[in-house]
Amino acid sequence: SQEAASSTCLAYVVRAFNTQKDEQRQLQPIVIVETSYTGPTHLHAPARLVVALEESHEDGDAERWLVPDISGNMPLGPCGEKVQESLAKRGMSSVRVVSVERRSLASHRWLLAHLVDMLAT
């Protein structure tokens, strides 16, 4: 139902790809699920996004790296950019990708606020 879909969020969490096989293993389930949400049979779909886990900076300054822009959007890190590019090659360019830095409390807080915003709109 519309009510159930609008109160549900599906977040796919992926990490950096080590090999092409690893990329396939992480992204293929996303492609399968996303394909199931297309077409006339799915009028109501939950909010969906891919969360790319970025490695922390070596200098430990997590606050500097992923900082929201003026409109509150978080820039994509290297893993997020690769995920977005790989999904686009699979025809999934409409799936939103966000980057979250591991071990960064600020980055995790941003993600939680972003998920709440997604559900509220």
Side-chain angles (χ1 to χ4, degrees):
S1 74
Q2 175 63 33
E3 184 178 334
S6 65
S7 63
T8 305
C9 179
L10 176 57
Y12 308 100
V13 180
V14 297
R15 58 179 172 71
F17 310 131
N18 295 320
T19 62
Q20 273 192 312
K21 186 176 183 177
D22 185 37
E23 176 182 342
Q24 180 72 12
R25 185 182 59 78
Q26 291 189 64
L27 296 184
Q28 191 59 34
I30 296 170
V31 172
I32 291 168
V33 172
E34 286 301 307
T35 302
S36 75
Y37 285 120
T38 60
T41 59
H42 271 63
L43 299 175
H44 310 296
R48 303 174 317 277
L49 80 156
V50 177
V51 179
L53 290 178
E54 304 286 349
E55 290 302 319
S56 298
H57 261 284
E58 291 80 33
D59 63 9
D61 191 3
E63 305 302 314
R64 258 187 340 168
W65 187 51
L66 289 174
V67 179
D69 63 20
I70 194 147
S71 62
N73 294 318
M74 189 71 76
L76 286 179
C79 178
E81 289 176 353
K82 177 68 175 164
V83 169
Q84 189 171 50
E85 175 185 307
S86 296
L87 287 172
K89 287 179 185 175
R90 291 169 169 80
M92 300 281 138
S93 58
S94 63
V95 178
R96 172 101 195 258
V97 178
V98 298
S99 287
V100 174
E101 188 171 2
R102 293 181 63 200
R103 296 184 284 279
S104 166
L105 189 56
S107 185
H108 294 179
R109 281 185 183 137
W110 175 87
L111 176 61
L112 289 173
H114 183 68
L115 292 171
V116 168
D117 286 344
M118 286 178 68
L119 291 171
T121 55

